[in-house]
Short mmCIF file of all heavy atoms in Angstrom, two decimals:
data_model
loop_
_atom_site.label_atom_id
_atom_site.label_comp_id
_atom_site.label_asym_id
_atom_site.label_seq_id
_atom_site.Cartn_x
_atom_site.Cartn_y
_atom_site.Cartn_z
N VAL A 1 100.22 82.02 104.34
CA VAL A 1 100.11 82.95 103.21
C VAL A 1 98.66 83.27 102.93
O VAL A 1 98.26 84.42 102.72
CB VAL A 1 100.82 82.39 101.96
CG1 VAL A 1 100.46 83.20 100.71
CG2 VAL A 1 102.31 82.36 102.15
N ALA A 2 97.79 82.22 102.94
CA ALA A 2 96.37 82.44 102.71
C ALA A 2 95.77 83.37 103.78
O ALA A 2 94.97 84.25 103.48
CB ALA A 2 95.65 81.13 102.67
N THR A 3 96.16 83.18 105.01
CA THR A 3 95.66 84.04 106.08
C THR A 3 96.16 85.46 105.89
O THR A 3 95.39 86.41 106.01
CB THR A 3 96.13 83.50 107.45
OG1 THR A 3 95.59 82.21 107.62
CG2 THR A 3 95.68 84.38 108.60
N LEU A 4 97.45 85.63 105.53
CA LEU A 4 98.01 86.94 105.33
C LEU A 4 97.30 87.68 104.21
O LEU A 4 96.88 88.84 104.34
CB LEU A 4 99.49 86.81 105.04
CG LEU A 4 100.31 88.09 104.94
CD1 LEU A 4 101.73 87.80 105.41
CD2 LEU A 4 100.33 88.66 103.57
N LEU A 5 97.16 87.01 103.04
CA LEU A 5 96.56 87.65 101.89
C LEU A 5 95.03 87.76 102.01
O LEU A 5 94.43 88.66 101.45
CB LEU A 5 96.93 86.92 100.59
CG LEU A 5 98.42 87.04 100.18
CD1 LEU A 5 98.68 86.20 98.94
CD2 LEU A 5 98.82 88.48 99.96
N GLY A 6 94.43 86.84 102.74
CA GLY A 6 92.98 86.87 102.90
C GLY A 6 92.51 87.99 103.83
O GLY A 6 91.41 88.47 103.67
N ARG A 7 93.33 88.33 104.78
CA ARG A 7 93.04 89.43 105.71
C ARG A 7 91.63 89.34 106.27
O ARG A 7 90.90 90.33 106.31
CB ARG A 7 93.31 90.76 105.05
CG ARG A 7 94.74 90.92 104.69
CD ARG A 7 95.20 92.25 104.22
NE ARG A 7 94.23 93.22 103.79
CZ ARG A 7 94.25 93.87 102.63
NH1 ARG A 7 95.21 93.62 101.77
NH2 ARG A 7 93.37 94.75 102.34
N GLY A 8 91.22 88.13 106.69
CA GLY A 8 89.94 87.98 107.31
C GLY A 8 88.78 87.65 106.35
O GLY A 8 87.65 87.42 106.79
N ASN A 9 89.03 87.62 105.05
CA ASN A 9 88.00 87.32 104.07
C ASN A 9 88.13 85.86 103.68
O ASN A 9 89.09 85.46 103.00
CB ASN A 9 88.19 88.23 102.85
CG ASN A 9 87.11 88.04 101.81
OD1 ASN A 9 86.75 86.89 101.48
ND2 ASN A 9 86.61 89.13 101.28
N ASP A 10 87.13 85.03 104.09
CA ASP A 10 87.21 83.59 103.83
C ASP A 10 87.28 83.25 102.37
O ASP A 10 88.04 82.32 101.97
CB ASP A 10 85.99 82.89 104.46
CG ASP A 10 86.04 82.89 105.99
OD1 ASP A 10 87.12 83.06 106.55
OD2 ASP A 10 84.95 82.72 106.60
N ALA A 11 86.56 83.98 101.52
CA ALA A 11 86.57 83.68 100.09
C ALA A 11 87.97 83.95 99.51
O ALA A 11 88.48 83.16 98.69
CB ALA A 11 85.50 84.53 99.33
N THR A 12 88.59 85.05 99.91
CA THR A 12 89.91 85.36 99.42
C THR A 12 90.92 84.35 99.90
O THR A 12 91.82 83.92 99.15
CB THR A 12 90.35 86.79 99.88
OG1 THR A 12 89.36 87.72 99.39
CG2 THR A 12 91.69 87.16 99.35
N GLU A 13 90.78 83.89 101.14
CA GLU A 13 91.69 82.83 101.66
C GLU A 13 91.52 81.57 100.84
O GLU A 13 92.53 80.93 100.47
CB GLU A 13 91.37 82.56 103.13
CG GLU A 13 91.95 83.61 104.08
CD GLU A 13 91.80 83.22 105.55
OE1 GLU A 13 91.88 82.02 105.85
OE2 GLU A 13 91.61 84.13 106.34
N ARG A 14 90.30 81.18 100.55
CA ARG A 14 90.05 79.97 99.76
C ARG A 14 90.66 80.09 98.36
O ARG A 14 91.31 79.14 97.86
CB ARG A 14 88.54 79.71 99.67
CG ARG A 14 88.15 78.33 99.25
CD ARG A 14 86.67 78.03 99.45
NE ARG A 14 85.75 79.10 99.14
CZ ARG A 14 85.14 79.89 100.04
NH1 ARG A 14 85.37 79.68 101.31
NH2 ARG A 14 84.30 80.84 99.69
N ILE A 15 90.49 81.24 97.71
CA ILE A 15 91.05 81.47 96.37
C ILE A 15 92.58 81.42 96.44
O ILE A 15 93.25 80.84 95.57
CB ILE A 15 90.56 82.81 95.80
CG1 ILE A 15 89.07 82.71 95.43
CG2 ILE A 15 91.39 83.24 94.58
CD1 ILE A 15 88.42 84.02 95.16
N THR A 16 93.14 82.02 97.49
CA THR A 16 94.60 82.02 97.67
C THR A 16 95.12 80.59 97.84
O THR A 16 96.13 80.20 97.24
CB THR A 16 95.01 82.90 98.83
OG1 THR A 16 94.58 84.24 98.61
CG2 THR A 16 96.51 82.90 99.06
N LEU A 17 94.41 79.78 98.62
CA LEU A 17 94.82 78.40 98.79
C LEU A 17 94.79 77.63 97.48
O LEU A 17 95.71 76.84 97.19
CB LEU A 17 93.93 77.70 99.85
CG LEU A 17 94.18 78.09 101.30
CD1 LEU A 17 93.06 77.54 102.19
CD2 LEU A 17 95.53 77.62 101.76
N GLU A 18 93.78 77.88 96.67
CA GLU A 18 93.68 77.23 95.37
C GLU A 18 94.86 77.64 94.46
O GLU A 18 95.45 76.81 93.77
CB GLU A 18 92.34 77.56 94.68
CG GLU A 18 91.16 76.90 95.36
CD GLU A 18 89.81 77.43 94.85
OE1 GLU A 18 89.80 78.27 93.89
OE2 GLU A 18 88.79 77.04 95.43
N ARG A 19 95.18 78.93 94.48
CA ARG A 19 96.32 79.41 93.67
C ARG A 19 97.61 78.83 94.17
O ARG A 19 98.50 78.45 93.37
CB ARG A 19 96.40 80.93 93.72
CG ARG A 19 95.31 81.63 92.94
CD ARG A 19 95.39 83.11 93.13
NE ARG A 19 94.41 83.79 92.27
CZ ARG A 19 93.98 85.02 92.45
NH1 ARG A 19 94.41 85.74 93.50
NH2 ARG A 19 93.11 85.56 91.65
N LEU A 20 97.78 78.77 95.47
CA LEU A 20 98.99 78.14 96.03
C LEU A 20 99.09 76.67 95.63
O LEU A 20 100.18 76.18 95.30
CB LEU A 20 98.99 78.29 97.56
CG LEU A 20 99.29 79.69 98.08
CD1 LEU A 20 98.87 79.82 99.54
CD2 LEU A 20 100.77 80.03 97.91
N ASP A 21 97.99 75.98 95.66
CA ASP A 21 97.99 74.55 95.29
C ASP A 21 98.37 74.40 93.81
O ASP A 21 99.08 73.45 93.44
CB ASP A 21 96.64 73.90 95.56
CG ASP A 21 96.41 73.73 97.06
OD1 ASP A 21 97.40 73.78 97.85
OD2 ASP A 21 95.24 73.57 97.48
N ARG A 22 97.90 75.31 92.95
CA ARG A 22 98.28 75.25 91.53
C ARG A 22 99.78 75.50 91.36
O ARG A 22 100.43 74.86 90.57
CB ARG A 22 97.47 76.25 90.70
CG ARG A 22 96.06 75.79 90.42
CD ARG A 22 95.38 76.58 89.32
NE ARG A 22 95.32 78.03 89.58
CZ ARG A 22 94.32 78.62 90.22
NH1 ARG A 22 93.29 77.94 90.68
NH2 ARG A 22 94.33 79.93 90.41
N THR A 23 100.29 76.44 92.14
CA THR A 23 101.74 76.72 92.11
C THR A 23 102.51 75.48 92.50
O THR A 23 103.50 75.10 91.86
CB THR A 23 102.10 77.90 93.05
OG1 THR A 23 101.45 79.08 92.55
CG2 THR A 23 103.59 78.14 93.11
N ALA A 24 102.12 74.84 93.58
CA ALA A 24 102.84 73.65 94.07
C ALA A 24 102.72 72.48 93.10
O ALA A 24 103.60 71.63 93.07
CB ALA A 24 102.28 73.24 95.43
N ALA A 25 101.65 72.45 92.28
CA ALA A 25 101.46 71.36 91.34
C ALA A 25 102.35 71.48 90.10
O ALA A 25 102.44 70.55 89.32
CB ALA A 25 100.00 71.29 90.92
N GLU A 26 103.01 72.64 89.93
CA GLU A 26 103.93 72.78 88.81
C GLU A 26 104.96 71.64 88.84
O GLU A 26 105.46 71.28 89.91
CB GLU A 26 104.67 74.11 88.89
CG GLU A 26 103.81 75.32 88.69
CD GLU A 26 103.43 75.58 87.26
OE1 GLU A 26 104.18 75.14 86.38
OE2 GLU A 26 102.35 76.20 87.05
N LEU A 27 105.28 71.11 87.70
CA LEU A 27 106.25 70.01 87.66
C LEU A 27 107.60 70.44 88.17
O LEU A 27 108.28 69.69 88.86
CB LEU A 27 106.36 69.48 86.22
CG LEU A 27 105.15 68.78 85.68
CD1 LEU A 27 105.34 68.37 84.24
CD2 LEU A 27 104.79 67.56 86.54
N GLU A 28 108.04 71.63 87.83
CA GLU A 28 109.29 72.15 88.31
C GLU A 28 108.98 73.42 89.12
O GLU A 28 108.62 74.43 88.53
CB GLU A 28 110.25 72.50 87.18
CG GLU A 28 110.70 71.30 86.40
CD GLU A 28 111.69 71.66 85.31
OE1 GLU A 28 112.38 72.67 85.48
OE2 GLU A 28 111.75 70.95 84.31
N PRO A 29 109.20 73.40 90.45
CA PRO A 29 108.91 74.56 91.25
C PRO A 29 109.56 75.83 90.73
O PRO A 29 108.99 76.91 90.81
CB PRO A 29 109.38 74.21 92.66
CG PRO A 29 109.32 72.71 92.68
CD PRO A 29 109.63 72.30 91.28
N ALA A 30 110.76 75.74 90.18
CA ALA A 30 111.47 76.91 89.72
C ALA A 30 110.73 77.55 88.53
O ALA A 30 110.96 78.74 88.23
CB ALA A 30 112.90 76.59 89.36
N ALA A 31 109.91 76.76 87.83
CA ALA A 31 109.17 77.30 86.67
C ALA A 31 107.94 78.05 87.10
O ALA A 31 107.36 78.78 86.30
CB ALA A 31 108.78 76.15 85.73
N ALA A 32 107.51 77.91 88.32
CA ALA A 32 106.36 78.64 88.83
C ALA A 32 106.63 80.11 88.81
O ALA A 32 107.77 80.55 88.91
CB ALA A 32 105.99 78.15 90.23
N ASP A 33 105.57 80.89 88.68
CA ASP A 33 105.75 82.35 88.51
C ASP A 33 105.85 83.08 89.84
O ASP A 33 104.81 83.44 90.40
CB ASP A 33 104.60 82.87 87.67
CG ASP A 33 104.84 84.30 87.19
OD1 ASP A 33 105.92 84.86 87.51
OD2 ASP A 33 103.97 84.82 86.51
N ALA A 34 107.07 83.31 90.32
CA ALA A 34 107.28 84.06 91.57
C ALA A 34 106.76 85.48 91.44
O ALA A 34 106.29 86.06 92.42
CB ALA A 34 108.74 84.04 91.95
N SER A 35 106.83 86.04 90.23
CA SER A 35 106.43 87.43 90.09
C SER A 35 104.91 87.61 90.30
O SER A 35 104.49 88.66 90.77
CB SER A 35 106.82 87.98 88.69
OG SER A 35 106.19 87.26 87.67
N ALA A 36 104.15 86.59 89.99
CA ALA A 36 102.69 86.67 90.23
C ALA A 36 102.39 86.75 91.72
O ALA A 36 101.54 87.53 92.15
CB ALA A 36 101.97 85.46 89.62
N TRP A 37 103.16 85.97 92.52
CA TRP A 37 102.98 86.04 93.95
C TRP A 37 103.52 87.34 94.53
O TRP A 37 102.93 87.90 95.44
CB TRP A 37 103.62 84.81 94.62
CG TRP A 37 102.74 83.63 94.39
CD1 TRP A 37 102.93 82.61 93.48
CD2 TRP A 37 101.47 83.39 95.01
NE1 TRP A 37 101.87 81.73 93.52
CE2 TRP A 37 100.94 82.19 94.45
CE3 TRP A 37 100.73 84.01 95.95
CZ2 TRP A 37 99.73 81.67 94.82
CZ3 TRP A 37 99.52 83.49 96.38
CH2 TRP A 37 99.04 82.32 95.79
N ALA A 38 104.59 87.84 93.95
CA ALA A 38 105.12 89.14 94.38
C ALA A 38 104.06 90.22 94.17
O ALA A 38 103.89 91.10 95.03
CB ALA A 38 106.41 89.48 93.64
N SER A 39 103.36 90.14 93.05
CA SER A 39 102.30 91.12 92.76
C SER A 39 101.14 91.01 93.79
O SER A 39 100.60 92.02 94.20
CB SER A 39 101.73 90.92 91.34
OG SER A 39 102.70 91.22 90.39
N ARG A 40 100.82 89.80 94.13
CA ARG A 40 99.72 89.62 95.13
C ARG A 40 100.15 90.20 96.48
O ARG A 40 99.35 90.85 97.14
CB ARG A 40 99.38 88.14 95.27
CG ARG A 40 98.63 87.59 94.04
CD ARG A 40 98.20 86.15 94.20
NE ARG A 40 97.53 85.74 92.99
CZ ARG A 40 98.10 84.99 92.07
NH1 ARG A 40 99.30 84.53 92.21
NH2 ARG A 40 97.43 84.64 90.99
N PHE A 41 101.40 89.96 96.87
CA PHE A 41 101.89 90.53 98.13
C PHE A 41 101.90 92.06 98.04
O PHE A 41 101.53 92.77 98.97
CB PHE A 41 103.25 89.98 98.50
CG PHE A 41 103.22 88.54 98.94
CD1 PHE A 41 103.98 87.59 98.28
CD2 PHE A 41 102.43 88.11 100.01
CE1 PHE A 41 103.98 86.26 98.67
CE2 PHE A 41 102.42 86.79 100.41
CZ PHE A 41 103.17 85.87 99.74
N SER A 42 102.39 92.58 96.91
CA SER A 42 102.43 94.05 96.71
C SER A 42 101.04 94.63 96.81
O SER A 42 100.84 95.67 97.49
CB SER A 42 103.01 94.41 95.35
OG SER A 42 104.37 94.11 95.28
#
């Protein structure tokens, strides 16, 4: 996902990895905001 969204930009990949890690750290994965990731993909 980081590679896809980073599209060759190392800083964007690093930020994406940090955001993904925050998502994974949610106590309940279902409570994480899928719509935020949908917006990033869009």
Side-chain angles (χ1 to χ4, degrees):
V1 168
T3 299
L4 187 150
L5 292 177
R7 298 189 342 233
N9 183 316
D10 291 339
T12 303
E13 283 187 34
R14 196 169 38 259
I15 290 168
T16 301
L17 286 170
E18 290 170 5
R19 288 176 174 160
L20 286 163
D21 289 341
R22 282 195 303 271
T23 296
E26 293 283 334
L27 293 177
E28 294 183 27
D33 192 0
S35 63
W37 285 102
S39 293
R40 289 184 182 102
F41 289 123
S42 290

